[in-house]
Amino acid sequence: MKTKSNLLLLLALPMLMSCGGDGNGAASVPAGVDTAAVVYDNIMTRRSVRKYKPQPVERAKMDSIVACGINAPNGQNRQAYEVRIVDDADFIDGLTKVYVESNPKAAAEPGFKNMFRNAPTVAFIAADTSYDMSVIDCGLLGGNMVLSAWSMGVGSCCLGSPTRFMLETPAAKPYLDKLGFSDGYKLLYVIGFGYPDETPAAKPRRTDMVRYVD
Ligand SMILES: Cc1cc2nc3c(=O)[nH]c(=O)nc-3n(C[C@H](O)[C@H](O)[C@H](O)COP(=O)(O)O)c2cc1C
């Protein structure tokens, strides 16, 4: 993963994309940095990661990643989401135990550590069900989070499957309850974060579904 260009972005992007721990900081661009190239490279090299080193992402770094998330565009600036970050192994492993009881084959996958594609830090994102655009807010939030994380050397994987499990499985409810989302907010998806222990290849993208209309 640490190609020459990635090294550049690893050095420069935390400065370029640092959104400030309070969520309101302005980015400062170092002199001589080709911002467009760095940002483009960060977007194009990001991959979903499913094998991680064991340590959780430092909370200060997660704060920066969340700050980038909440600085994404969002409908009417309602910021119609709630985010819960979990790096507690007891939570992750306890819920995974419930998951494996229902899906014993999952644990047989090589390198299986947990139901969040093995991530040691997990962000749970809930949408405000009273606002019809909230799922877009949540998606843009997560987009900024995974890209800013990548710029800091942190891998991630958006996850729908554990979300469905948590919403549909009575035995998972105590864990959902512990997240403490407010009334009117519903878990929409999960993003696993951690330091990558693999370098996945890019998956091909289609372009035939996009065209200009003259
Ligand atoms: C909404 C959403 C749900 C996803 N759910 C899962 C999942 O349950 N399990 C998984 O391994 N990957 C999941 N992914 C990751 C995608 O498989 C991945 O982004 C896609 O294959 C493209 O690969 P890339 O992210 O490496 O470019 C999900 C991604 C998104 C955006």
Side-chain angles (χ1 to χ4, degrees):
M1 178 194 311
K2 289 197 172 107
T3 60
K4 212 186 279 176
S5 55
N6 249 19
L7 187 62
L8 170 68
L9 70 88
L10 281 174
L11 291 171
L13 262 174
M15 288 177 277
L16 292 176
M17 298 179 74
S18 70
C19 305
D22 63 355
N24 296 305
S28 56
V29 182
V33 171
D34 182 347
T35 318
V38 173
V39 172
Y40 183 85
D41 191 60
N42 189 57
I43 291 170
M44 299 304 266
T45 60
R46 182 216 54 83
R47 300 275 69 87
S48 291
V49 172
R50 299 178 177 86
K51 284 186 192 157
Y52 298 91
K53 303 213 163 87
Q55 74 267 31
V57 181
E58 299 84 343
R59 289 192 174 187
K61 202 172 268 192
M62 284 308 300
D63 287 346
S64 296
I65 290 167
V66 171
C68 289
I70 64 178
N71 273 276
N74 64 92
Q76 301 170 3
N77 200 28
R78 287 167 68 143
Q79 301 158 62
Y81 37 66
E82 288 187 350
V83 182
R84 302 287 181 263
I85 315 269
V86 176
D87 56 13
D88 172 20
D90 287 344
F91 183 109
I92 293 172
D93 295 345
L95 182 52
T96 296
K97 198 161 166 262
V98 175
Y99 179 77
V100 168
E101 276 161 18
S102 303
N103 304 277
K105 279 189 190 158
E109 279 181 28
F112 179 85
K113 287 184 189 162
N114 70 49
M115 63 186 282
F116 302 106
R117 288 293 191 189
N118 312 311
T121 298
V122 184
F124 297 85
I125 296 164
D128 178 350
T129 56
S130 71
Y131 179 44
D132 61 348
M133 296 286 159
S134 64
V135 295
I136 298 174
D137 289 0
C138 290
L140 292 168
L141 165 97
N144 271 18
M145 286 175 70
V146 300
L147 288 171
S148 61
W150 189 249
S151 77
M152 299 173 201
V154 174
S156 64
C157 189
C158 297
L159 297 166
S161 162
T163 313
R164 284 187 208 103
F165 178 81
M166 289 178 73
L167 292 173
E168 291 165 8
T169 310
K173 190 166 181 304
Y175 292 89
L176 197 54
D177 289 347
K178 191 158 188 215
L179 296 176
F181 289 120
S182 304
D183 287 346
Y185 285 76
K186 186 179 176 191
L187 180 64
L188 182 67
Y189 72 121
V190 174
I191 310 177
F193 291 94
Y195 290 99
D197 202 15
E198 63 168 353
T199 51
K203 291 184 181 167
R205 262 33 180 199
R206 289 168 44 212
T207 53
D208 57 299
M209 69 297 212
V210 181
R211 66 184 166 91
Y212 291 95
V213 177
D214 294 316

Short mmCIF file of all heavy atoms in Angstrom, two decimals, residues 43-50 115-117 156-164 188-190 200-205, ligand 1:
data_model
loop_
_atom_site.label_atom_id
_atom_site.label_comp_id
_atom_site.label_asym_id
_atom_site.label_seq_id
_atom_site.Cartn_x
_atom_site.Cartn_y
_atom_site.Cartn_z
N ILE A 43 -8.34 9.17 -3.26
CA ILE A 43 -9.64 8.58 -3.61
C ILE A 43 -9.45 7.30 -4.43
O ILE A 43 -10.10 6.28 -4.17
CB ILE A 43 -10.49 9.61 -4.39
CG1 ILE A 43 -10.90 10.76 -3.45
CG2 ILE A 43 -11.72 8.95 -5.02
CD1 ILE A 43 -11.53 11.96 -4.16
N MET A 44 -8.53 7.37 -5.39
CA MET A 44 -8.39 6.24 -6.32
C MET A 44 -7.66 5.04 -5.73
O MET A 44 -7.79 3.92 -6.22
CB MET A 44 -7.69 6.70 -7.61
CG MET A 44 -8.45 7.77 -8.36
SD MET A 44 -10.15 7.27 -8.77
CE MET A 44 -9.91 6.62 -10.40
N THR A 45 -6.87 5.26 -4.68
CA THR A 45 -6.13 4.13 -4.10
C THR A 45 -6.86 3.49 -2.91
O THR A 45 -6.48 2.41 -2.47
CB THR A 45 -4.72 4.54 -3.63
OG1 THR A 45 -4.83 5.56 -2.64
CG2 THR A 45 -3.87 5.02 -4.79
N ARG A 46 -7.89 4.16 -2.39
CA ARG A 46 -8.61 3.57 -1.25
C ARG A 46 -9.24 2.24 -1.64
O ARG A 46 -9.80 2.09 -2.70
CB ARG A 46 -9.72 4.52 -0.76
CG ARG A 46 -10.47 3.97 0.45
CD ARG A 46 -11.95 4.32 0.42
NE ARG A 46 -12.59 3.92 -0.81
CZ ARG A 46 -13.05 2.68 -1.07
NH1 ARG A 46 -12.95 1.72 -0.16
NH2 ARG A 46 -13.61 2.39 -2.25
N ARG A 47 -9.10 1.28 -0.78
CA ARG A 47 -9.74 -0.02 -0.98
C ARG A 47 -10.39 -0.45 0.32
O ARG A 47 -9.97 -0.05 1.41
CB ARG A 47 -8.72 -1.10 -1.38
CG ARG A 47 -7.97 -0.80 -2.67
CD ARG A 47 -8.72 -1.23 -3.93
NE ARG A 47 -9.92 -0.52 -4.27
CZ ARG A 47 -9.99 0.62 -5.01
NH1 ARG A 47 -8.92 1.19 -5.48
NH2 ARG A 47 -11.15 1.16 -5.29
N SER A 48 -11.40 -1.29 0.23
CA SER A 48 -11.98 -1.87 1.44
C SER A 48 -10.99 -2.89 2.01
O SER A 48 -10.47 -3.73 1.28
CB SER A 48 -13.30 -2.57 1.11
OG SER A 48 -14.27 -1.61 0.78
N VAL A 49 -10.78 -2.78 3.31
CA VAL A 49 -9.81 -3.63 3.99
C VAL A 49 -10.57 -4.61 4.89
O VAL A 49 -11.52 -4.22 5.58
CB VAL A 49 -8.84 -2.75 4.82
CG1 VAL A 49 -7.93 -3.59 5.69
CG2 VAL A 49 -8.02 -1.86 3.88
N ARG A 50 -10.13 -5.86 4.88
CA ARG A 50 -10.81 -6.88 5.70
C ARG A 50 -9.83 -7.68 6.57
O ARG A 50 -10.24 -8.60 7.24
CB ARG A 50 -11.62 -7.81 4.79
CG ARG A 50 -12.71 -7.06 4.01
CD ARG A 50 -13.50 -7.96 3.08
NE ARG A 50 -14.57 -7.24 2.40
CZ ARG A 50 -14.44 -6.55 1.26
NH1 ARG A 50 -13.26 -6.50 0.65
NH2 ARG A 50 -15.47 -5.94 0.71
N MET A 115 -17.04 -10.17 13.45
CA MET A 115 -18.10 -10.04 12.44
C MET A 115 -18.03 -8.74 11.66
O MET A 115 -18.79 -8.54 10.72
CB MET A 115 -19.47 -10.13 13.12
CG MET A 115 -19.71 -9.01 14.10
SD MET A 115 -21.25 -9.17 15.03
CE MET A 115 -22.46 -8.62 13.83
N PHE A 116 -17.11 -7.84 12.05
CA PHE A 116 -16.98 -6.56 11.34
C PHE A 116 -15.80 -6.62 10.39
O PHE A 116 -14.99 -5.69 10.32
CB PHE A 116 -16.85 -5.42 12.36
CG PHE A 116 -18.03 -5.36 13.29
CD1 PHE A 116 -17.93 -5.78 14.61
CD2 PHE A 116 -19.26 -4.92 12.83
CE1 PHE A 116 -19.03 -5.74 15.46
CE2 PHE A 116 -20.37 -4.88 13.65
CZ PHE A 116 -20.26 -5.31 14.98
N ARG A 117 -15.72 -7.75 9.70
CA ARG A 117 -14.60 -7.96 8.77
C ARG A 117 -13.28 -7.72 9.49
O ARG A 117 -12.34 -7.16 8.95
CB ARG A 117 -14.73 -7.09 7.52
CG ARG A 117 -15.83 -7.56 6.58
CD ARG A 117 -15.49 -8.88 5.98
NE ARG A 117 -16.38 -9.24 4.89
CZ ARG A 117 -16.37 -10.45 4.32
NH1 ARG A 117 -15.53 -11.39 4.73
NH2 ARG A 117 -17.18 -10.72 3.34
N SER A 156 -10.46 0.75 6.07
CA SER A 156 -11.85 0.68 6.52
C SER A 156 -12.64 -0.22 5.59
O SER A 156 -12.20 -0.55 4.49
CB SER A 156 -12.48 2.08 6.51
OG SER A 156 -12.53 2.57 5.18
N CYS A 157 -13.83 -0.59 6.06
CA CYS A 157 -14.77 -1.32 5.19
C CYS A 157 -16.18 -0.98 5.63
O CYS A 157 -16.54 -1.18 6.80
CB CYS A 157 -14.52 -2.83 5.28
SG CYS A 157 -15.45 -3.78 4.05
N CYS A 158 -16.97 -0.43 4.72
CA CYS A 158 -18.39 -0.21 5.00
C CYS A 158 -19.07 -1.57 5.05
O CYS A 158 -18.77 -2.46 4.25
CB CYS A 158 -19.04 0.62 3.89
SG CYS A 158 -18.36 2.27 3.74
N LEU A 159 -20.02 -1.73 5.96
CA LEU A 159 -20.60 -3.05 6.18
C LEU A 159 -22.13 -2.98 6.32
O LEU A 159 -22.64 -2.34 7.25
CB LEU A 159 -20.00 -3.67 7.44
CG LEU A 159 -18.49 -3.93 7.38
CD1 LEU A 159 -17.93 -4.21 8.76
CD2 LEU A 159 -18.19 -5.07 6.42
N GLY A 160 -22.80 -3.66 5.39
CA GLY A 160 -24.25 -3.77 5.49
C GLY A 160 -24.67 -5.03 6.23
O GLY A 160 -25.63 -5.02 7.02
N SER A 161 -23.94 -6.10 6.01
CA SER A 161 -24.35 -7.40 6.53
C SER A 161 -24.46 -7.45 8.07
O SER A 161 -25.49 -7.89 8.61
CB SER A 161 -23.39 -8.44 5.95
OG SER A 161 -23.43 -9.59 6.65
N PRO A 162 -23.47 -6.95 8.83
CA PRO A 162 -23.64 -6.97 10.29
C PRO A 162 -24.76 -6.06 10.77
O PRO A 162 -25.35 -6.29 11.83
CB PRO A 162 -22.28 -6.50 10.82
CG PRO A 162 -21.44 -6.16 9.68
CD PRO A 162 -22.14 -6.51 8.41
N THR A 163 -25.06 -5.05 9.97
CA THR A 163 -26.15 -4.13 10.33
C THR A 163 -27.47 -4.88 10.30
O THR A 163 -28.27 -4.81 11.25
CB THR A 163 -26.21 -2.98 9.30
OG1 THR A 163 -24.90 -2.48 9.10
CG2 THR A 163 -27.14 -1.89 9.76
N ARG A 164 -27.69 -5.61 9.21
CA ARG A 164 -28.94 -6.40 9.11
C ARG A 164 -29.03 -7.37 10.27
O ARG A 164 -30.08 -7.53 10.88
CB ARG A 164 -28.96 -7.17 7.79
CG ARG A 164 -29.28 -6.30 6.61
CD ARG A 164 -29.46 -7.14 5.35
NE ARG A 164 -29.09 -6.31 4.22
CZ ARG A 164 -27.95 -6.38 3.56
NH1 ARG A 164 -27.06 -7.30 3.87
NH2 ARG A 164 -27.70 -5.57 2.57
N LEU A 188 -28.14 2.39 10.30
CA LEU A 188 -28.19 2.28 8.84
C LEU A 188 -27.04 1.43 8.31
O LEU A 188 -27.24 0.57 7.45
CB LEU A 188 -28.12 3.67 8.22
CG LEU A 188 -28.21 3.73 6.70
CD1 LEU A 188 -29.60 3.30 6.21
CD2 LEU A 188 -27.91 5.15 6.19
N TYR A 189 -25.84 1.69 8.79
CA TYR A 189 -24.71 0.87 8.39
C TYR A 189 -23.56 1.04 9.37
O TYR A 189 -23.64 1.86 10.30
CB TYR A 189 -24.28 1.14 6.94
CG TYR A 189 -23.58 2.45 6.65
CD1 TYR A 189 -22.30 2.46 6.11
CD2 TYR A 189 -24.19 3.67 6.87
CE1 TYR A 189 -21.65 3.65 5.80
CE2 TYR A 189 -23.56 4.86 6.56
CZ TYR A 189 -22.31 4.86 6.03
OH TYR A 189 -21.68 6.04 5.73
N VAL A 190 -22.55 0.24 9.12
CA VAL A 190 -21.42 0.15 10.03
C VAL A 190 -20.16 0.35 9.18
O VAL A 190 -20.13 -0.02 8.01
CB VAL A 190 -21.41 -1.26 10.67
CG1 VAL A 190 -20.18 -1.49 11.51
CG2 VAL A 190 -22.67 -1.50 11.49
N PRO A 200 -5.38 -4.88 -0.66
CA PRO A 200 -6.31 -5.41 -1.67
C PRO A 200 -6.15 -4.70 -3.02
O PRO A 200 -5.90 -3.50 -3.07
CB PRO A 200 -7.70 -5.10 -1.08
CG PRO A 200 -7.47 -4.69 0.33
CD PRO A 200 -6.07 -4.19 0.43
N ALA A 201 -6.35 -5.48 -4.07
CA ALA A 201 -6.31 -4.91 -5.42
C ALA A 201 -7.61 -4.16 -5.68
O ALA A 201 -8.64 -4.44 -5.07
CB ALA A 201 -6.14 -6.02 -6.44
N ALA A 202 -7.53 -3.20 -6.60
CA ALA A 202 -8.74 -2.45 -6.98
C ALA A 202 -9.71 -3.37 -7.70
O ALA A 202 -9.30 -4.21 -8.50
CB ALA A 202 -8.35 -1.29 -7.88
N LYS A 203 -10.99 -3.21 -7.38
CA LYS A 203 -12.01 -3.95 -8.13
C LYS A 203 -12.42 -3.10 -9.33
O LYS A 203 -12.52 -1.88 -9.20
CB LYS A 203 -13.22 -4.20 -7.23
CG LYS A 203 -12.91 -5.19 -6.13
CD LYS A 203 -14.16 -5.49 -5.32
CE LYS A 203 -13.84 -6.45 -4.21
NZ LYS A 203 -14.91 -6.54 -3.22
N PRO A 204 -12.66 -3.77 -10.47
CA PRO A 204 -12.99 -2.97 -11.66
C PRO A 204 -14.28 -2.19 -11.48
O PRO A 204 -15.20 -2.64 -10.79
CB PRO A 204 -13.15 -4.02 -12.76
CG PRO A 204 -13.30 -5.33 -12.06
CD PRO A 204 -12.68 -5.20 -10.71
N ARG A 205 -14.35 -1.04 -12.05
CA ARG A 205 -15.55 -0.20 -12.02
C ARG A 205 -16.14 -0.13 -13.42
O ARG A 205 -15.40 -0.05 -14.41
CB ARG A 205 -15.17 1.20 -11.59
CG ARG A 205 -15.38 1.60 -10.14
CD ARG A 205 -15.22 0.55 -9.11
NE ARG A 205 -15.45 1.09 -7.77
CZ ARG A 205 -15.04 0.54 -6.64
NH1 ARG A 205 -14.37 -0.60 -6.66
NH2 ARG A 205 -15.31 1.08 -5.49
C1 LIG B 1 -23.36 0.15 1.72
C2 LIG B 1 -22.21 -0.82 1.67
C3 LIG B 1 -22.34 -2.07 2.24
C4 LIG B 1 -21.26 -2.95 2.23
N1 LIG B 1 -21.38 -4.16 2.90
C5 LIG B 1 -20.33 -4.99 2.95
C6 LIG B 1 -20.40 -6.20 3.71
O1 LIG B 1 -21.42 -6.49 4.34
N2 LIG B 1 -19.32 -7.00 3.73
C7 LIG B 1 -18.16 -6.68 3.07
O2 LIG B 1 -17.20 -7.44 3.14
N3 LIG B 1 -18.05 -5.54 2.33
C8 LIG B 1 -19.10 -4.68 2.26
N4 LIG B 1 -19.00 -3.50 1.56
C9 LIG B 1 -17.76 -3.17 0.85
C10 LIG B 1 -17.91 -3.37 -0.66
O3 LIG B 1 -17.93 -4.75 -0.93
C11 LIG B 1 -16.77 -2.67 -1.40
O4 LIG B 1 -16.81 -1.29 -1.15
C12 LIG B 1 -16.86 -2.90 -2.93
O5 LIG B 1 -16.70 -4.26 -3.24
C13 LIG B 1 -15.82 -2.11 -3.71
O6 LIG B 1 -14.52 -2.42 -3.26
P1 LIG B 1 -13.52 -1.28 -2.73
O7 LIG B 1 -14.21 -0.59 -1.56
O8 LIG B 1 -12.29 -1.99 -2.29
O9 LIG B 1 -13.28 -0.33 -3.84
C14 LIG B 1 -20.06 -2.60 1.58
C15 LIG B 1 -19.94 -1.34 1.00
C16 LIG B 1 -20.99 -0.45 1.06
C17 LIG B 1 -20.80 0.94 0.46
#
